[in-house]
Amino acid sequence: MVEATMNYDEAISKFDPVLGLEVHVELGTNTKMFCGCSTVFGAPPNTQVCPVCLGLPGALPALNKIGVESAIRIGLALNCEIAEWCRFARKNYFYPDMPKNFQTSQYDEPIAFEGYLDVEIDTDEGRKTFRVPIERAHMEEDTGKNSHVGGATGRIHGADYSLVDYNRAGIPLIEIVTKPITGTGKYAPEVAKAYVAALRDILRGLGVSDVKMEQGSLRCDVNLSLRETPESKLGTRSETKNVNSLRSVERAVRYEVSRHAARLAAGDTVVQETRHWHEDTGISTSGRAKSDAEDYRYFPEPDLLPIAPSREWVEELRAALPENPAVRRARLVADWGLSEIDMNTVVNSGALDLIVEAVDAGVDPAAARKWWTGELSRIANDRGIELEELPVTPAHLKRLEELISAGSLNDKLARQALEGVIVGEGDIDEIVKARGLAVVSDDGPLLAAIDEALAADPAVAETIKSGKLAAAGSVVGAVMKATRGQADAARVRELLFEKLGVSE
Amino acid sequence: MSDLIRKDASELAGLVSSGEVSAVEVAQAHLDRIAAVDGEVHAFLHVDTEGALVSAAAVDAKVKAGDKLSVLAGVPLGLKDILATNGLPTTCGSRILDGWIPPYDATVVTKLREAGVVILGKTNMDEFAMGSSTEHSAFGPTHNPWDLERIPGGSGGGSSACVSSFEAPLAIGTDTGGSIRQPAAVTGSVGVKPTYGGVSRYGIVALASSLDQAGPCARNVLDTALLHSVIAGHDPMDATSINAPVPDVVAAAKRADIKGMKVGIVKELGGEGYQAGVRSRFEESVALIESLGAEVVEVSCPSFPAALAAYYLILPSEASSNLAKFDGIRFGNRVGDDGSKSVEQVMSETRAAGFGSEVIRRIILGTYALSAGYYDAYYGQAQKVRTLIKQDFDAAFAKVDVLISPTAPTTAFKIGEKLDDPLAMYLNDVATIPVNMAGLPGMSLPIGLAPEDNLPVGLQIIAPAMADDRLYNVGAAIERELLAKWGGPILGMAPELAGA
């Protein structure tokens, strides 16, 4: 059922939104949280399972230390305190995707707590920083995946039958929960999106997850409530599940603000419930009612020992953290002399790390940026692959730039050389040699080609002489064509003007 | 009937390794005994004749090849049906697992197989180890070989009965609140609950994870120690397993010298509520211990009277969660799946039909105790009692080397006698439960028959954590004196079974 909504601007003029974001991150560990099964995505159903992650009678969990280490690193990167002592807990509820009918999670003793993440967004008053308070980051295991076959909704109710794939069961998850985010006003959708984007960049920088929202390795639940004024007490919240793209995070917040506002303005109450986000239609629909009385009967997991990370270990991990992506971005903008808009282009193209690598290898930042956001992005796009998958190394770009500045390659020839790299013809020098790529800088053949071009179009010489220098373009073009692109266009132009006695 | 069945495990191992008797002959003798008497005793739920003979033959091949053998190679054993066995049924005495064949072995089972111990089959138990009489097995009760109308203890009544009826010289039990020690006491056999974490729990179907511990059952202290040494040790598959050397229990059983030791009688475990014959045999043991040069003192553990109540909150709470996985979705029996019902309905019908009344009682109790709003008053409070019990033990062990008490308040009661009175049933474990609450090792040793009913009485010996060897030293010292007094093992006084 589609519910009534209020125009967003009107809604925000009447109410103050309060956000809460819960993000689940699948860690990129080789093995699951409590057993040795592989975590590789996309294997045939139920092939990456064992007695432990299937919850067979008698099986016991054994803790993945890398999972704990990743959780601590995430906590540190989010400015959290790291618990000196914490435990796992069992979250008890019956659902067929959960092998043990309890999830091994953390309850009142999370490994990381009390942090924050600063995010920047564009506002009417320019760029502004919002501090998102983080309540906790805790460890847990993922569930299996149900597929409901038959029925109209793809949900369990009304399905003919259901299949369960337990490959995902037991994959380590970190759940990162914010405190209520207040003070965003009309920017709530942008803050939500910027937070998830910043979190994604941090997690990618830590190398703890592949953070692919479309594959579910980063999943976001959006909690939202409205209140009349920032001084009013918190309103009833809705929890919109599985908002699985950055764009959807923004849209879901916007939609829920409009929906809550319509209800409240009409004198209705907001129902505390779980809602499902529909990426295609851009609306949410009601899921199960979620009352505060929902009882998971949490208690400390007796099959696992408490975790007490030593302060030395925590400090070691802190010292080894990579630079915060936002700080790094600001540094690169300054170092490379870019505008914010140029930097956005770079970041959105997904080429930032590749450009940094090339620059570190000695390539001029402007040139590295030009290649990765231009020609190479086009090629990757045409082939439907990621930039990282192209076989182009910083060394290739470095050699290419050397040849260009030495004048032995021009832009067009350089592109041909890169094409050679991509199809696997060897290194730049081998390709240049094999393909015979070299700028023709000997004036003799160029003059001959100019004569030929002028002879083919007798009127053009007079046109140029009369001062219409732009007409030179057609002659240069003809010469380039005749030399199959290997001429130095600037030299051709010089020679032409010399010959016609014209000066620029 | 072959006299092989009356021999000790250590003696059988010697005969097999020297080639005097083949392991196949030993296994066959025990299989024959089972065929003859288990119709009356019902110690076994599943007898693996073929598997037993195959593993016995493998031991014989090693003997022939002159390979080095473990201390119990070729000795037959009954395995409580709560340990997962690859390719063999594992029911936990429950309908809900009837027909389930695990695809893997428990770590204890792996260790037994590697040691060449011959697994005869799976022994009967109270459903999911909930009970003190084995009457709660979904497959019918086990009978005490001393009196077939009486219970063999529980939950591991199948393991104690197979040992005391000479169907197997050894058995594995599990002990959450007394399920190895109380059956040993009422059948005149020896049973040990090792230190929590001393034996891997991997592959043992969990009742209460923080209390469960597998351990050895046998007819004498040395055999018990040998089996203990085979199954103990650190296991990375069990996070609660202790990574430390196993106490040398075999050496301790051979030492049997308690001169100069300090032994404490737990004031709160005895007296009122304990049967007269149990008390008199216990008092004789105290005198015997003193005569062996040990000093006996009384110690008080003031929190112990609260142990039973706290235990019946912690156990059901953990069990309600541990048993949630039995829903018919991935394994075991499924009930009511006619295509018209929701998954919740099928889970619910499966559980209602698959679990017996005692299991359902404890799941409901535990679910309630963990509920929001009740957690602090019940589970939280029980954990505090647990801490107090540990402190009582710590204080006691600051003064004495081991503690003693009767293992159970009474001798074996009649089948059906306490079935409708859960509280009376729970009281059987009043002396054994504090040991589990503190994670300590405990032994039950036969110390004679109660004069009023001629049924066995057990002495409980308790040691500090990871001092399991003390149990064996003290147990063996007392056993040596009693064997001399009786002129042979106590089980020699048990009546012959009709089938034999």
Side-chain angles (χ1 to χ4, degrees):
Chain A
M1 190 193 72
V2 178
E3 295 179 47
T5 53
M6 182 188 284
N7 167 281
Y8 181 78
D9 293 334
E10 190 188 347
I12 221 71
S13 72
K14 292 190 164 126
F15 298 100
D16 179 46
V18 178
L19 271 174
L21 295 160
E22 287 175 27
V23 172
H24 285 88
V25 189
E26 264 186 16
L27 294 182
T29 49
N30 293 328
T31 57
K32 293 185 179 182
M33 194 66 184
F34 302 117
C35 65
C37 287
S38 166
T39 57
V40 173
F41 181 79
N46 299 310
T47 54
Q48 296 178 165
V49 292
C50 73
V52 176
C53 58
L54 280 178
L56 292 188
L60 293 174
L63 186 60
N64 183 335
K65 290 209 174 67
I66 306 292
V68 178
E69 182 182 292
S70 301
I72 294 174
R73 294 179 67 227
I74 291 170
L76 291 171
L78 298 176
N79 307 296
C80 289
E81 307 274 323
I82 303 301
E84 297 196 10
W85 190 90
C86 68
R87 286 184 291 192
F88 281 95
R90 292 189 185 177
K91 181 180 182 181
N92 295 285
Y93 65 99
F94 284 83
Y95 207 68
D97 66 7
M98 220 169 33
K100 299 168 291 184
N101 284 327
F102 63 79
Q103 182 186 30
T104 306
S105 179
Q106 292 195 288
Y107 178 47
D108 49 0
E109 299 164 325
I111 187 142
F113 52 93
E114 290 291 328
Y116 62 85
L117 182 57
D118 287 334
V119 300
E120 274 191 14
I121 60 161
D122 290 318
T123 71
D124 297 343
E125 295 87 43
R127 257 181 115 66
K128 205 174 152 191
T129 300
F130 282 88
R131 175 157 291 189
V132 175
I134 289 169
E135 184 172 299
R136 57 191 280 151
H138 75 243
M139 299 176 279
E140 59 185 32
E141 57 178 340
D142 211 343
T143 60
K145 202 170 161 60
N146 288 336
S147 317
H148 306 297
V149 183
T153 60
R155 304 204 184 287
I156 192 164
H157 295 291
D160 293 335
Y161 60 92
S162 301
L163 300 169
V164 197
D165 176 6
Y166 293 106
N167 283 352
R168 200 180 68 179
I171 288 185
L173 286 182
I174 304 297
E175 182 176 338
I176 301 160
V177 184
T178 68
K179 294 182 178 180
I181 306 165
T182 57
T184 61
K186 68 175 179 179
Y187 299 113
E190 289 81 7
V191 169
K193 180 185 175 186
Y195 167 72
V196 178
L199 191 55
R200 190 188 58 178
D201 290 347
I202 283 180
L203 296 167
R204 189 182 284 138
L206 290 171
V208 294
S209 169
D210 61 9
V211 288
K212 288 183 178 164
M213 291 186 89
E214 70 284 0
Q215 286 185 3
S217 56
L218 188 110
R219 308 198 280 272
C220 184
D221 302 342
V222 173
N223 291 353
L224 185 110
S225 65
L226 295 184
R227 54 185 176 179
E228 297 215 337
T229 69
E231 288 73 40
S232 319
K233 67 179 177 66
L234 294 179
T236 305
R237 72 174 191 275
S238 60
E239 184 178 340
T240 307
K241 289 269 182 200
N242 290 321
V243 186
N244 290 338
S245 70
L246 288 178
R247 180 166 164 262
S248 290
V249 170
E250 188 173 353
R251 287 167 83 206
V253 174
R254 197 171 288 273
Y255 176 81
E256 284 297 294
V257 168
S258 297
R259 190 182 67 82
H260 282 224
R263 288 192 73 93
L264 294 172
D268 291 336
T269 52
V270 172
V271 183
Q272 185 168 340
E273 63 183 353
T274 298
R275 298 185 64 86
H276 298 291
W277 177 251
H278 301 274
E279 196 105 27
D280 46 352
T281 51
I283 65 164
S284 70
T285 55
S286 176
R288 69 197 148 95
K290 190 169 188 177
S291 71
D292 281 330
E294 190 158 12
D295 190 352
Y296 292 117
R297 288 173 283 118
Y298 282 103
F299 73 103
E301 166 59 273
D303 285 329
L304 290 166
L305 299 180
I307 299 162
S310 74
R311 295 302 96 179
E312 294 73 28
W313 187 36
V314 170
E315 290 316 311
E316 250 171 58
L317 293 176
R318 190 197 304 277
L321 285 181
E323 189 178 9
N324 175 299
V327 173
R328 176 184 186 225
R329 178 190 161 120
R331 179 175 59 78
L332 293 176
V333 163
D335 286 359
W336 296 349
L338 295 184
S339 68
E340 278 294 335
I341 294 167
D342 288 342
M343 195 56 171
N344 279 342
T345 310
V346 167
V347 171
N348 292 339
S349 69
L352 182 59
D353 290 341
L354 295 162
I355 295 169
V356 170
E357 269 181 50
V359 172
D360 288 350
V363 181
D364 174 62
R369 187 160 63 87
K370 180 195 74 180
W371 285 115
W372 277 114
T373 60
E375 180 70 4
L376 292 170
S377 282
R378 187 187 61 73
I379 293 170
N381 200 36
D382 284 352
R383 294 171 180 235
I385 58 172
E386 299 290 326
L387 284 177
E388 293 83 3
E389 294 173 62
L390 292 175
V392 177
T393 63
H396 287 134
L397 294 186
K398 185 157 186 261
R399 183 62 187 147
L400 211 54
E401 283 297 310
E402 283 167 3
L403 294 176
I404 290 169
S405 50
S408 54
L409 287 182
N410 59 21
D411 202 60
K412 185 172 179 182
L413 294 175
R415 282 203 295 270
Q416 290 179 30
L418 267 185
E419 188 192 288
V421 170
I422 287 160
V423 299
E425 290 174 13
D427 69 26
I428 298 286
D429 288 312
E430 285 165 356
I431 294 164
V432 164
K433 194 174 171 207
R435 291 196 174 196
L437 303 177
V439 171
V440 179
S441 48
D442 181 353
D443 291 350
L446 294 183
L447 283 169
I450 289 170
D451 287 341
E452 233 171 82
L454 291 175
D457 183 0
V460 78
E462 287 314 310
T463 313
I464 296 170
K465 279 184 190 165
S466 74
K468 290 183 179 149
L469 299 186
S474 70
V475 179
V476 175
V479 172
M480 293 306 284
K481 195 175 173 188
T483 57
R484 295 200 316 278
Q486 300 196 358
D488 178 345
R491 182 64 188 152
V492 172
R493 203 175 161 87
E494 259 173 43
L495 289 172
L496 174 65
F497 289 156
E498 236 171 66
K499 186 177 179 71
L500 297 178
V502 181
S503 59
E504 280 188 85
Chain B
M1 189 60 59
S2 161
D3 65 349
L4 286 174
I5 61 164
R6 298 204 172 253
K7 293 195 185 301
D8 294 343
S10 55
E11 199 182 344
L12 288 174
L15 291 172
V16 168
S17 64
S18 67
E20 274 175 74
V21 176
S22 75
V24 168
E25 277 175 85
V26 173
Q28 191 58 58
H30 288 89
L31 290 167
D32 290 347
R33 172 72 173 176
I34 292 168
V37 305
D38 207 50
E40 298 165 77
V41 177
H42 194 223
F44 282 90
L45 292 176
H46 181 84
V47 178
D48 184 23
T49 304
E50 194 191 333
L53 292 173
V54 166
S55 49
V59 172
D60 289 334
K62 282 190 164 185
V63 173
K64 221 170 175 182
D67 293 351
K68 192 168 158 35
L69 297 177
S70 94
V71 288
L72 289 174
V75 180
L77 169 140
L79 197 62
K80 191 176 182 182
D81 204 24
I82 200 168
L83 291 101
T85 39
N86 193 356
L88 266 185
T90 300
T91 66
C92 300
S94 181
R95 289 267 171 238
I96 210 162
L97 279 178
D98 197 4
W100 181 60
I101 312 271
Y104 77 108
D105 274 335
T107 299
V108 165
V109 176
T110 304
K111 285 176 178 271
L112 291 170
R113 293 197 203 274
E114 284 169 359
V117 174
V118 174
I119 296 169
L120 295 172
K122 308 295 289 286
T123 60
N124 201 8
M125 57 187 283
D126 284 299
E127 185 175 3
F128 287 106
M130 297 183 195
S132 308
S133 67
T134 319
E135 291 167 286
H136 292 301
S137 168
F139 308 106
T142 296
H143 302 264
N144 190 326
W146 287 83
D147 176 352
L148 293 172
E149 288 180 15
R150 292 181 187 266
I151 58 99
S155 66
S159 288
S160 66
C162 80
V163 166
S164 54
S165 64
F166 300 95
E167 293 176 326
L170 299 172
I172 296 291
T174 60
D175 190 317
T176 305
S179 288
I180 288 174
R181 289 162 289 158
Q182 180 259 11
V186 300
T187 56
S189 54
V190 182
V192 166
K193 180 205 106 65
T195 300
Y196 182 79
V199 175
S200 169
R201 291 187 297 115
Y202 188 78
I204 297 171
V205 182
L207 166 55
S209 311
S210 71
L211 300 163
D212 296 346
Q213 186 61 206
C217 312
R219 291 192 290 261
N220 62 64
V221 173
L222 178 62
D223 285 359
T224 312
L226 290 168
L227 184 53
H228 189 137
S229 72
V230 166
I231 62 173
H234 179 243
D235 179 11
M237 300 290 276
D238 174 2
T240 61
S241 156
I242 295 171
N243 193 357
V246 179
D248 194 344
V249 292
V250 175
K254 290 176 177 165
R255 189 161 63 245
D257 177 9
I258 60 171
K259 196 167 184 344
M261 275 183 87
K262 282 187 97 171
V263 177
I265 298 172
V266 185
K267 188 178 139 206
E268 287 76 10
L269 304 179
E272 207 185 327
Y274 287 73
Q275 190 181 318
V278 170
R279 281 153 68 174
S280 61
R281 289 300 176 217
F282 177 72
E283 281 152 21
E284 285 171 26
S285 303
V286 171
L288 177 61
I289 290 167
E290 283 175 328
S291 76
L292 290 170
E295 185 191 344
V296 180
V297 296
E298 189 179 78
V299 297
S300 177
C301 295
S303 305
F304 282 19
L308 188 76
Y311 174 84
Y312 275 102
L313 288 167
I314 291 170
L315 177 143
S317 296
E318 293 185 12
S320 71
S321 174
N322 282 331
L323 268 62
K325 64 176 61 167
F326 301 98
D327 60 6
I329 300 296
R330 290 160 303 279
F331 51 80
N333 275 330
R334 183 184 293 181
V335 176
D337 186 11
D338 60 8
S340 74
K341 290 174 187 149
S342 72
V343 67
E344 288 86 357
Q345 281 173 309
V346 172
M347 285 177 169
S348 173
E349 286 188 31
T350 296
R351 290 167 66 79
F355 289 141
S357 59
E358 182 61 27
V359 173
I360 289 174
R361 179 175 9 254
R362 295 199 197 184
I363 289 175
I364 291 173
L365 207 71
T367 303
Y368 185 79
L370 289 177
S371 299
Y374 297 100
Y375 178 91
D376 290 339
Y378 293 129
Y379 190 80
Q381 202 67 12
Q383 290 292 8
K384 287 181 195 161
V385 171
R386 194 167 183 177
T387 303
L388 293 175
I389 290 169
K390 283 181 189 163
Q391 290 169 354
D392 280 359
F393 272 121
D394 287 345
F397 284 121
K399 296 180 214 144
V400 300
D401 300 307
V402 293
L403 292 167
I404 54 168
S405 76
T407 308
T410 69
T411 55
F413 48 90
K414 289 244 164 93
I415 290 175
E417 195 180 320
K418 296 184 179 177
L419 199 51
D420 299 325
D421 187 352
L423 278 182
M425 191 73 90
Y426 297 170
L427 281 169
N428 271 288
D429 297 326
V430 71
T432 45
I433 279 172
V435 178
N436 299 77
M437 296 284 268
L440 305 183
M443 171 185 278
S444 181
L445 179 78
I447 50 170
L449 306 180
E452 62 269 34
D453 54 18
N454 273 323
L455 290 168
V457 174
L459 171 76
Q460 175 172 239
I461 309 165
I462 308 166
M466 292 308 275
D468 306 46
D469 49 336
R470 288 188 205 170
L471 305 176
Y472 291 94
N473 181 32
V474 175
I478 300 169
E479 181 186 58
R480 187 186 54 223
E481 299 305 312
L482 290 174
L483 287 177
K485 180 178 158 193
W486 299 329
I490 191 169
L491 283 162
M493 301 178 217
E496 268 300 324
L497 293 164

